[in-house]
Amino acid sequence: MCRYYLVVPWLRKALGYEKMFYVAEPSCGGFDEPVVYVAINGREYYFDGDLGEYVCTVEQCYADILTFWEPGPYLVDLLWSRDLLDVDKLYQLAGPRGRAVLAALVIWDGVLRGRSVSWGRFDPYREDFSGWLDYVAQWTTAYMLEDGARERFGI
């Protein structure tokens, strides 16, 4: 039996369905769309009757994007919606790369804003995030500064 799901982050669902990529078991094969082949066990997905596809939960979608896809464009989604997500679950569902990207985002957010921002209970310092800090900074700094940091720090 071939198990798979479509990764569509909640913002794309809200603003208009746009296919991203599939996550499928290695035995599936034959996808015409972009696909990542991995073991499906332990991943969170369900059948969405409106889309007519199996799709992942919000946290699983962002975990997969951070782990397998180009995460930059979606980092702002995480900044704006961190209070709506279970960030600890996202961290748990992500692979090593995804956890490192998320840790870099949390660290950069705290450094740039000069305060501790609630991102959940996980410890971002447990991850090797240093290779992702510049990347995260390029994608998110302007959005973080728009959130009041310019006034606080005179930037």
Side-chain angles (χ1 to χ4, degrees):
M1 177 178 192
C2 174
R3 294 185 302 169
Y4 68 91
Y5 60 84
L6 182 62
V7 175
V8 183
W10 72 270
L11 192 56
R12 288 197 183 213
K13 283 183 190 174
L15 298 178
Y17 171 65
E18 182 178 330
K19 285 188 180 181
M20 288 278 301
F21 64 98
Y22 286 94
V23 173
E25 292 181 325
S27 62
C28 289
F31 280 86
D32 292 334
E33 305 289 331
V35 62
V36 173
Y37 292 104
V38 295
I40 296 292
N41 292 340
R43 295 180 180 276
E44 297 182 352
Y45 63 98
Y46 61 95
F47 185 78
D48 185 315
D50 292 334
L51 298 180
E53 295 268 10
Y54 285 96
V55 296
C56 50
T57 63
V58 173
E59 290 83 4
Q60 183 69 65
C61 284
Y62 284 105
D64 288 343
I65 288 168
L66 296 179
T67 301
F68 302 119
W69 206 248
E70 176 64 35
Y74 303 94
L75 295 175
V76 175
D77 287 3
L78 293 175
L79 283 172
W80 289 343
S81 60
R82 72 173 166 261
D83 294 336
L84 303 174
L85 301 170
D86 183 342
V87 180
D88 290 315
K89 181 182 267 191
L90 189 160
Y91 177 81
Q92 177 187 7
L93 292 170
R97 175 184 172 225
R99 289 190 301 271
V101 174
L102 183 60
L105 178 62
V106 171
I107 298 298
W108 184 244
D109 193 29
V111 166
L112 191 61
R113 294 178 196 232
R115 60 184 168 91
S116 177
V117 178
S118 176
W119 278 92
R121 296 175 311 226
F122 75 93
D123 181 3
Y125 291 101
R126 293 182 61 157
E127 301 301 326
D128 182 12
F129 60 84
S130 59
W132 287 98
L133 276 175
D134 286 342
Y135 178 87
V136 166
Q138 290 173 1
W139 281 98
T140 62
T141 299
Y143 297 99
M144 289 178 189
L145 293 177
E146 287 299 321
D147 196 20
R150 288 183 183 180
E151 291 77 24
R152 279 196 307 277
F153 301 115
I155 298 172

